[in-house]
Each structure stands twice: as structure tokens, then as C-alpha cells.
Amino acid sequence: MVIKVFLATSSGSTAIKKKQQDVVGFLEALKVDYTQLDIACNEDNRKWMRQNVPEEKKPANGIPLPPQIFNEDSYCGDYETFFDAKEDNSVYAFLGLPPPPGSKQAQVEEEEEQEEEAE
């Protein structure tokens, strides 16, 4: 499973650059394997991203802005949903990845499983 982060390397927007850096930096801190796909220099990447962001997730103008995050072909979300997952300590679930052993998220899931078994 490869996490794909669609970015615009030559974006003139400082807000977009900051969001992209935030996502990439956090994935690196978690040691999550990911691939950066540039939509500014590669028309195929731009087309693929635009076609695969679900309609209900597209902005009013219909053009999703980077960063957009996928797990293979499965849409995870944009910066706002990533940020929410980060705040909720649920980034692995957001990405569709199992939490690494020993992580807080793995411990929470383990406790929930034990509670369900006890019922």
C-alpha cells in the first residue's frame, strides 16, 4: 500500500505550500511510506487527482486544491480532513493503515478489542 500525496511544487500560494509541508513533514515524522506526485509539472497526475477526488469532496468550483491524499486508488482526504485526523490522533485510520505496534493508536485499538471481548 502506497500513500500518494498530490502536491503542486510550483504553487504561488503560501497557504498551499504550508499545508503541503505540514502533511509531508507529519508523514515523515511518523515514518509513513508515501510518494509525492506533482500536479504542477505533470498533467497526468493532475488529471488523475481531479478524476479521483469524490464529487462530494470537491469545492464549489469543482477543482480540488493540493494537497490531496490517497491510499493507492482510495481517497483519504484533503488537508482539512488530514488535520482533523491529526488532532484526533487517528492519522493511521485516516490513511487506511494499521497503527504501528506500541503506538498510542495501537494501544487504544487493543483496549477497545479487549473491552468488546469482555462484553
Side-chain angles (χ1 to χ4, degrees):
M1 290 202 278
V2 175
I3 301 302
K4 298 176 183 176
V5 181
F6 286 84
L7 308 169
T9 54
S10 61
S11 173
S13 166
T14 54
I16 288 176
K17 285 180 183 174
K18 184 182 178 325
K19 290 175 180 180
Q20 293 175 163
Q21 288 171 340
D22 190 26
V23 169
V24 167
F26 198 74
L27 293 176
E28 287 176 357
L30 292 178
K31 296 181 174 52
V32 170
D33 285 334
Y34 70 95
T35 301
Q36 292 184 38
L37 298 161
D38 188 7
I39 65 168
C41 299
N42 186 315
E43 186 63 30
D44 291 338
N45 286 343
R46 181 174 27 244
K47 284 181 183 174
W48 191 93
M49 181 194 83
R50 288 183 178 175
Q51 289 171 348
N52 288 282
V53 171
E55 280 302 317
E56 67 274 8
K57 300 293 185 181
K58 290 182 181 175
N61 69 2
I63 300 172
L65 296 173
Q68 296 290 331
I69 305 158
F70 290 80
N71 182 333
E72 293 291 342
D73 294 342
S74 196
Y75 183 68
C76 298
D78 59 8
Y79 177 77
E80 281 68 31
T81 50
F82 174 81
F83 183 82
D84 291 344
K86 195 168 102 171
E87 291 291 302
D88 295 340
N89 288 321
S90 60
V91 171
Y92 290 102
F94 167 81
L95 295 171
L97 298 173
S103 70
K104 282 184 188 176
Q105 204 167 342
Q107 292 170 353
V108 167
E109 286 181 14
E110 205 172 284
E111 288 168 10
E112 287 172 356
E113 284 176 17
Q114 290 172 354
E115 287 173 13
E116 286 174 14
E117 291 171 5
E119 291 176 1

